[in-house]
Amino acid sequence: MKPRLLVTGGAGFLATHLLHQATNFTATGTLHRTAATSIPDVSFHVCDLQQPQEVRILLDRVNPEIIIHTACSDQGGNLSVIAPAAGLLASQAAERDIRFIHLSTDQVFDGMTAPYHEASEKHPINPYGTAKSQAEDLVRSLHTQATIVRTSLLYDLRIPDRQTRQLIQTTQTEERYHLFTDEFRCPIWVEKLAQALLELAKKDYVGILNIGGPESLNRWDLGMELLKHFNITPTSNIQKGTIEESGFLRPQNLTLDSSAAQQLLVTPLLSLEEARKVVGKIHKEA
Ligand SMILES: NC(=O)c1ccc[n+]([C@@H]2O[C@H](COP(=O)([O-])OP(=O)(O)OC[C@H]3O[C@@H](n4cnc5c(N)ncnc54)[C@H](OP(=O)(O)O)[C@@H]3O)[C@@H](O)[C@H]2O)c1
């Protein structure tokens, strides 16, 4: 019998990759406002994770053994849902003895004392980081056996992700677009994060785990590498910038140390160059 897996945010970026790869699970995704693309052997349930009654009905119907909670990101304009939805799911999962993996972010840190380890103290400086930090606290207090995965920027190499799409579109306009040279992240290929999470789902690891890519890149270098990957020539309206010049409140250096995850998991957390080689190889074999 395959373990029953519930993935929240089923039409979202990470969840779609999780559900495509979850062939060793009996997998279900939740839907909210967006329709999902059909995925073989995956069922979907509509559920607003803010509604306790809807969450109870969902869990009664699906009866999952594992939940991977990806829903409620910085998209959609409603950050106020992030903490309560995580708390509601965590408490229900604890009550029903369901393994719970909660997706969090490197943005729970202020970017002043990188690299960040699992034990590093949180200090969010923007509303998204604050909401995700509150969600982590709720999950830890309501489900003592939960796993909290802090990850970094997710990118895709087959179909451009949201931010890369925006960058590509900008090359077709004259609109000025700044990529920060002073913001550092550990970007991870969404396919590898999904693979790592599915491996983690079958382990009983408790607590915080960083799962980012193995290299720290600034936004300019990452943007240029992704344009190169998709064979797009950068245009002169895409320029180097800094967080300070922009006036935005953003953490500068969010380098994550993911060595604990790399020791725990067989899934390799590839650098961008290594990931590009995998995609190149798959293309040649296809
Ligand atoms: N993407 C990144 O670079 C990144 C980086 C670090 C951490 N993360 C974390 O990783 C996780 C996945 O990110 P992602 O980019 O894959 O997210 P995403 O594509 O923005 O998907 C989020 C999903 O949450 C659903 N959702 C929002 N409100 C909901 C509600 N009230 N009830 C049920 N579902 C609701 C949305 O459904 P509707 O659209 O239908 O409302 C959407 O499908 C998130 O927890 C995010 O914070 C992401």
Side-chain angles (χ1 to χ4, degrees):
M1 283 281 280
K2 294 179 181 179
R4 291 180 301 280
L5 169 70
L6 177 67
V7 178
T8 66
F13 181 44
L14 173 59
T16 302
H17 285 271
L18 277 165
L19 291 167
H20 270 287
Q21 287 188 36
T23 49
N24 291 328
F25 297 82
T26 300
T28 304
T30 70
L31 296 179
H32 184 223
R33 292 167 306 194
T34 313
T37 48
S38 142
I39 303 175
D41 299 323
V42 171
S43 21
F44 288 96
H45 283 263
V46 174
C47 177
D48 182 347
L49 297 172
Q50 291 180 97
Q51 303 300 331
Q53 188 57 11
E54 290 189 28
V55 171
R56 277 189 214 102
I57 292 170
L58 169 78
L59 297 181
D60 287 345
R61 285 202 186 139
V62 178
N63 191 21
E65 291 155 279
I66 307 151
I67 298 174
I68 304 182
H69 176 45
T70 82
C72 307
S73 64
D74 56 348
Q75 302 296 307
N78 188 6
L79 299 181
S80 66
V81 65
I82 291 177
L88 180 56
L89 269 175
S91 67
Q92 283 291 309
E95 212 170 277
R96 296 165 190 245
D97 201 19
I98 301 169
R99 169 137 177 66
F100 189 65
I101 300 179
H102 170 75
L103 262 295
S104 190
T105 170
D106 50 7
Q107 296 213 45
V108 296
F109 298 115
D110 59 15
M112 307 290 283
T113 55
Y116 293 101
H117 306 266
E118 281 75 6
S120 300
E121 204 173 318
K122 297 191 271 112
H123 185 226
I125 59 167
N126 60 29
Y128 172 59
T130 302
K132 293 296 279 192
S133 170
Q134 288 165 350
E136 283 193 8
D137 293 343
L138 275 174
V139 169
R140 293 194 83 178
S141 65
L142 294 168
H143 194 316
T144 54
Q145 301 304 301
T147 308
I148 292 172
V149 171
R150 290 185 183 141
T151 190
S152 183
L153 276 181
L154 313 183
Y155 62 85
D156 195 8
L157 293 175
R158 299 184 201 277
I159 300 170
D161 53 83
R162 233 171 356 231
Q163 287 175 346
T164 309
R165 259 193 329 266
Q166 200 185 346
L167 190 57
I168 292 172
Q169 280 161 9
T170 307
T171 64
Q172 291 147 16
T173 70
E174 290 181 358
E175 183 193 331
R176 196 171 293 180
Y177 193 97
H178 286 117
L179 287 170
F180 298 139
T181 51
D182 58 350
E183 180 179 324
F184 289 84
R185 311 284 290 270
C186 289
I188 181 164
W189 183 19
V190 65
E191 285 189 19
K192 281 295 149 192
L193 177 60
Q195 192 183 332
L197 289 168
L198 292 171
E199 189 187 346
L200 187 61
K202 291 191 173 171
K203 296 192 182 289
D204 50 14
Y205 183 92
V206 172
I208 295 167
L209 190 66
N210 291 344
I211 310 188
E215 63 193 340
S216 184
L217 289 178
N218 69 40
R219 297 295 290 250
W220 168 264
D221 288 340
L222 176 64
M224 290 301 118
E225 285 298 318
L226 288 172
L227 285 182
K228 182 169 82 180
H229 177 77
F230 288 107
N231 291 320
I232 305 287
T233 307
T235 46
S236 59
N237 57 326
I238 299 175
Q239 298 179 353
K240 289 182 178 174
T242 62
I243 296 178
E244 198 177 332
E245 286 159 5
S246 76
F248 293 138
L249 191 56
R250 292 185 70 85
Q252 280 204 344
N253 187 345
L254 289 177
T255 300
L256 284 182
D257 180 338
S258 300
S259 51
Q262 203 49 104
Q263 277 168 25
L264 178 74
L265 303 171
V266 172
T267 305
L269 306 177
L270 304 179
S271 68
L272 178 54
E273 201 45 45
E274 290 164 338
R276 291 186 65 205
K277 280 188 192 143
V278 173
V279 174
K281 199 166 127 202
I282 290 169
H283 280 172
K284 268 185 218 144
E285 283 168 359

